[in-house]
Amino acid sequence: MASVTLDRVTKRFGEVTAVQDVSIEVEDREFLVLVGPSGCGKSTTLRLIAGLEELSDGNIYIGDDLVNDIAPKDRDIAMVFQSYALYPHMSVYDNLSFGLRLRHTPRKEIERRVQEAAEMLNIAELLDRKPKALSGGQRQRVALGRAVVRDPAVFLMDEPLSNLDAKLRVQTRAELIRLHERLQATVIYVTHDQMEAMTMGSRIAVLRDGVLQQIGPPQEVYETPSNMFVAGFIGSPAMNFFDARLTGTADDMYVETDSFKVPVPPDRRAPYVGHLGQDVVFGLRPEDIFDPRYKPDQIPTDATITSDVDVTEPLGSEVYLYMLAGDESYIARVDPRTTASIGNEFDLVLDMSNMQLFDRATQEAIR
């Protein structure tokens, strides 16, 4: 396997900059996920690594080799696409072995690799079938198998699960994680689904409009987002944002909106002292807002607010409450035993230990 290094990579299509000055170091055997909304440049970045697009600026290294001018077939990479791209007239065995035959791999080696990949992906009993006789999940495993038999230095995966239904997507996601553990491969995976990014990646790189916003382990990006975009994109439902003002003193600090005023915990005050008296954006995730009767014991009740219940969404294991606090709306994920009902006022407790503050002008996190 090999590392992959993007050094100030830029790609322009005419006057449009799809990828701008992106620098990422993907470690050997790492599972890196490129995540962001449609049009953010993640698939273009993957195609640049594969050599399917030509760089405008910057350098790409696979291992120690500069690959800017190396043809895709010579980069020792294997791609898995959103579409299965299987040959419909060929059997599963022939689809898996086709690339190896083109490289004049010895027949016994082809048989060994195909059988090994088929068993790894639980498609050994499907080798004689044609793609039309397979389910969507089986076709996706064949597409993965075609990459696995290559034994490449780097796997590049472009939204390979997006054509699957929700249940099969969860199942195949787990299979991909197990596959990475078995192969100990370097994987660069593209998705717009932040749930896939959080559960699959050893690190995630968040892109917006071709610009890298943040890169790090999933939990780190979730807990300490670098800006409002990352905070709102990672997490489901998205983080709540309130226009607020930081008031009080260094020893008695508050976040104050038009509808409520809540204290900043003592251990969170230090980074915010320089912003006292300033307009800020207060961020809090729905899972950090509780029905007072079912909150964890360690969470104090000094940050209790009263709001109107606009909509309730019972989901079995939890309830989403869509709340109105003056002109502000927000979402709470609360215990399913809650008695909150539409049209009534309801008290909720905010876990301020997980609060975030952002600069109103730059939208950057205040650290």
Side-chain angles (χ1 to χ4, degrees), residues 183-287:
L183 294 176
Q184 287 296 291
T186 303
V187 178
I188 303 176
Y189 186 102
V190 161
T191 182
H192 64 274
D193 186 333
Q194 55 91 21
M195 187 68 71
E196 280 183 23
M198 290 290 291
T199 56
M200 298 178 73
S202 48
R203 285 192 303 159
I204 60 177
V206 185
L207 294 169
R208 180 191 190 190
D209 296 334
V211 178
L212 179 64
Q213 303 292 307
Q214 186 172 359
I215 183 168
Q219 198 63 29
E220 176 185 298
V221 174
Y222 175 82
E223 292 177 353
T224 56
S226 61
N227 55 43
M228 286 180 63
F229 172 78
V230 175
F233 188 80
I234 299 297
S236 181
M239 180 180 285
N240 298 298
F241 297 113
F242 304 87
D243 287 335
R245 190 172 183 84
L246 201 57
T247 62
T249 67
D251 297 320
D252 189 27
M253 190 181 296
Y254 295 87
V255 170
E256 191 168 350
T257 74
D258 290 340
S259 304
F260 59 83
K261 180 179 178 180
V262 288
V264 176
D267 61 344
R268 298 300 301 270
R269 294 172 187 162
Y272 304 147
V273 172
H275 292 263
L276 278 168
Q278 295 181 15
D279 291 335
V280 294
V281 176
F282 167 49
L284 196 67
R285 296 196 180 278
E287 51 268 37

Side-chain angles (χ1 to χ4, degrees), residues 306-311 322-326 330 341 343-346:
T306 302
S307 307
D308 295 320
V309 183
D310 187 33
V311 175
Y322 292 77
M323 309 295 292
L324 297 174
Y330 65 97
S341 57
N344 293 326
E345 284 191 338
F346 197 75

Side-chain angles (χ1 to χ4, degrees), residues 135-189:
S135 68
Q138 290 169 336
R139 291 180 192 179
Q140 192 56 269
R141 286 203 292 271
V142 175
L144 285 169
R146 192 168 52 188
V148 168
V149 296
R150 289 271 315 281
D151 192 22
V154 181
F155 288 89
L156 304 178
M157 301 188 182
D158 191 2
E159 304 203 43
L161 308 186
S162 58
N163 286 335
L164 305 180
D165 62 50
K167 183 177 180 180
L168 194 53
R169 198 157 55 239
V170 172
Q171 177 187 329
T172 311
R173 196 162 70 207
E175 290 175 356
L176 275 175
I177 295 170
R178 285 194 293 268
L179 182 64
H180 176 250
E181 288 298 316
R182 289 186 62 177
L183 294 176
Q184 287 296 291
T186 303
V187 178
I188 303 176
Y189 186 102

Side-chain angles (χ1 to χ4, degrees), residues 7 97 122 127 147 247 291:
D7 180 20
S97 63
N122 295 317
L127 292 177
T247 62
D291 182 322

